[in-house]
Amino acid sequence: MAVLVEVEFSEVTAQQYDTVDQRVGARAEQPPEGLLFHTAIITDTGLRVVDLWESTEACEAFIANRLQPVIREVGYPEPSSGPKFSNVHYHFERRQPVGA
């Protein structure tokens, strides 16, 4: 079952996010296994991430094996909230027409 994952980090900047994102290898050209959707929002207080994963297990494996070692090394603070996992009842993906 797909899960929506939400997490917030206080005082994390866009530059810190970009550094972690590039080092983890999670850009759109090479998404982690099981990741369906990712967005990162810089807020007045820090960083908010909202992801859609194929499963809780796929997300947890990515966090443990690829993300946590890098965010510790870069010096991210502990999350101010989350990760919050919510089971998704329904979702769809808008796709570009072939040849567009």
Side-chain angles (χ1 to χ4, degrees), residues 16-56:
Q16 287 172 306
Y17 167 80
D18 289 341
T19 297
V20 168
D21 191 48
Q22 290 167 354
R23 290 189 51 202
V24 168
R27 294 287 178 174
E29 301 83 39
Q30 51 188 358
E33 186 68 33
L35 180 63
L36 301 173
F37 171 86
H38 171 78
T39 189
I41 304 149
I42 301 301
T43 68
D44 292 339
T45 60
L47 170 69
R48 181 166 193 247
V49 175
V50 179
D51 287 349
L52 182 64
W53 287 85
E54 290 177 353
S55 68
T56 301

Side-chain angles (χ1 to χ4, degrees), residues 68-87:
Q68 278 184 338
V70 175
I71 63 175
R72 285 186 185 129
E73 189 175 313
V74 170
Y76 267 39
E78 288 295 316
S80 51
S81 71
K84 177 184 174 190
F85 292 84
S86 302
N87 291 331

